[in-house]
Amino acid sequence: MKTLALVLFPGVQSLDVSGPMDVFAEANAFLPPQRHYRLVTIGTTPSPIRASNGQQLGYDLALDAAGTDYDIVLVAGGPQLAQQADNPQLSAWLREVAQTAPRYGSICTGAYLLGRAGLLDGKRATTHWSDAARLAVEFPLAQVEHDRIHVRDGRLVTSAGVTAGIDLALALVAEDHGQAVSLAAAKRLLVLAQRQGGQSQFSPYLSEASTPESLATIIQRHVMDNLAQPLSVEQLSAVAGMSTRSFARQFVKEMGVTPAEFVQRARVDAARNLLEGSELALKTIAYRCGFGSPARMRLVFAQRFGVTPNQYRDSFLVCHG
């Protein structure tokens, strides 16, 4: 019997707790009693702990009485965790448990707790796509992989945002008991046993610019209104009323990507939404989003996500249907 500990704190994302725990609990239904997971929750403040959604959560053990004898230790994430100060007691406990636990890690922004304990230094890790850049800056010795559902580096395991904790838990079950048990648990929870591609396929690429008349806003609006058109750098610079060189330089400064990359992301994002929310033929989606042909759209999806548009559509329908 393996013991799994999951760490809670004020402002924790409740799904980061319940999602993985449900995976291990469902896996127990397909295992003999002597191979069950024993699930333990650990709290950093007096019970109950209030989650980010307002829910009150109890726990089994307080941090100061938790000990370190666990087979798997995971710290959950929370929407404000990146902005919170270090918890020295928790950091010390995590460093101690990491010395002996066969596997330890984080769900979503729980990676920040590992980073503050020095456990990401020299390691590959991931977190929610919207926090990955900040994680890389705050912990420069870590190798942050921005587009991974979950990452294994030795005994360290980390996952992307929220529901990716379920993916990580399913992967751990598969390691322990094989794909058949992991698949059975996934079917019980009506989720995919293994999501294909990176987390960017499940998140919007484009964010609103800060001011309505900024260069970024003008170009974004034009691109989204004219996706079926070629949208070359020369055409976009004409829309902006600038020389091609000046436009490209200013656009990168404001948006952090080249105009060509922005257009490609916009096309992919639009195609993603049509695949999720419509039954349009791939040829129609490819034309509307400016890929020109289904073959070109398939190539771009394969390069960016490792899946075809049809596989993406099938995955979304399985997850949400």
Side-chain angles (χ1 to χ4, degrees):
M1 179 177 288
K2 296 182 184 296
T3 301
L4 178 139
L6 207 153
V7 181
L8 289 63
F9 51 86
V12 68
Q13 184 105 36
S14 62
L15 189 56
D16 284 0
V17 178
S18 60
M21 289 192 71
D22 276 346
V23 169
F24 293 108
E26 291 293 346
N28 282 346
F30 303 97
L31 297 170
Q34 67 272 21
R35 301 186 69 194
H36 279 189
Y37 291 98
R38 185 171 73 91
L39 305 178
V40 176
T41 50
I42 298 172
T44 62
T45 60
S47 181
I49 286 175
R50 190 172 293 278
S52 60
N53 63 0
Q55 182 180 4
Q56 289 189 329
L57 303 175
Y59 55 78
D60 298 305
L61 297 170
L63 183 63
D64 57 7
T68 59
D69 187 18
Y70 302 101
D71 297 286
I72 306 173
V73 176
L74 298 174
V75 289
Q80 301 303 315
L81 194 54
Q83 291 79 37
Q84 293 175 2
D86 180 33
N87 180 330
Q89 182 188 12
L90 177 57
S91 292
W93 182 83
L94 287 171
R95 284 192 292 270
E96 185 178 0
V97 81
Q99 294 178 15
T100 57
R103 286 169 294 183
Y104 63 93
S106 62
I107 299 157
C108 195
T109 54
Y112 282 88
L113 297 177
L114 299 180
R116 291 164 190 161
L119 298 177
L120 296 185
D121 293 354
K123 297 288 189 177
R124 294 184 299 111
T126 192
T127 189
H128 191 284
W129 64 271
S130 65
D131 289 286
R134 178 171 178 163
L135 185 74
V137 170
E138 190 166 334
F139 306 106
L141 296 181
Q143 182 182 330
V144 179
E145 302 196 4
H146 296 236
D147 190 33
R148 294 286 298 277
I149 297 293
H150 52 81
V151 172
R152 177 76 180 267
D153 189 339
R155 294 182 296 119
L156 173 68
V157 294
T158 53
S159 79
V162 194
T163 57
I166 295 174
D167 297 270
L168 174 59
L170 288 168
L172 293 174
V173 169
E175 283 186 15
D176 292 338
H177 303 290
Q179 283 294 139
V181 174
S182 178
L183 179 60
K187 286 182 176 179
R188 286 281 290 267
L189 294 170
L190 293 178
V191 296
L192 289 176
Q194 182 178 2
R195 267 194 281 182
Q196 301 179 38
Q199 59 173 315
S200 62
Q201 65 177 300
F202 299 101
S203 62
Y205 269 117
L206 305 178
S207 58
E208 294 182 1
S210 55
T211 56
E213 297 307 319
S214 69
L215 173 64
T217 302
I218 293 170
I219 296 304
Q220 180 173 326
R221 187 184 304 127
H222 179 81
V223 168
M224 298 309 292
D225 288 344
N226 297 275
L227 275 178
Q229 305 304 314
L231 297 174
S232 66
V233 176
E234 290 76 16
Q235 289 173 318
L236 296 179
S237 61
V239 171
M242 302 170 66
S243 70
T244 301
R245 180 175 296 179
S246 295
F247 165 74
R249 184 169 56 247
Q250 185 62 31
F251 190 87
V252 170
K253 182 179 179 181
E254 288 195 25
M255 296 296 288
V257 296
T258 65
E261 173 65 12
F262 178 85
V263 170
Q264 186 83 293
R265 291 183 178 187
R267 297 194 197 285
V268 169
D269 199 49
R272 181 184 63 83
N273 285 309
L274 288 175
L275 289 166
E276 292 173 2
S278 77
E279 296 183 358
L280 291 173
L282 292 188
K283 182 177 181 180
T284 301
I285 294 175
Y287 173 77
R288 288 189 182 182
C289 297
F291 291 104
S293 69
R296 174 62 183 169
M297 186 168 69
R298 281 194 296 270
L299 177 62
V300 172
F301 266 66
Q303 290 173 339
R304 289 184 175 266
F305 308 133
V307 298
T308 67
N310 270 329
Q311 287 173 322
Y312 175 84
R313 172 176 268 169
D314 290 344
S315 294
F316 183 86
L317 290 175
V318 169
C319 286
H320 296 79

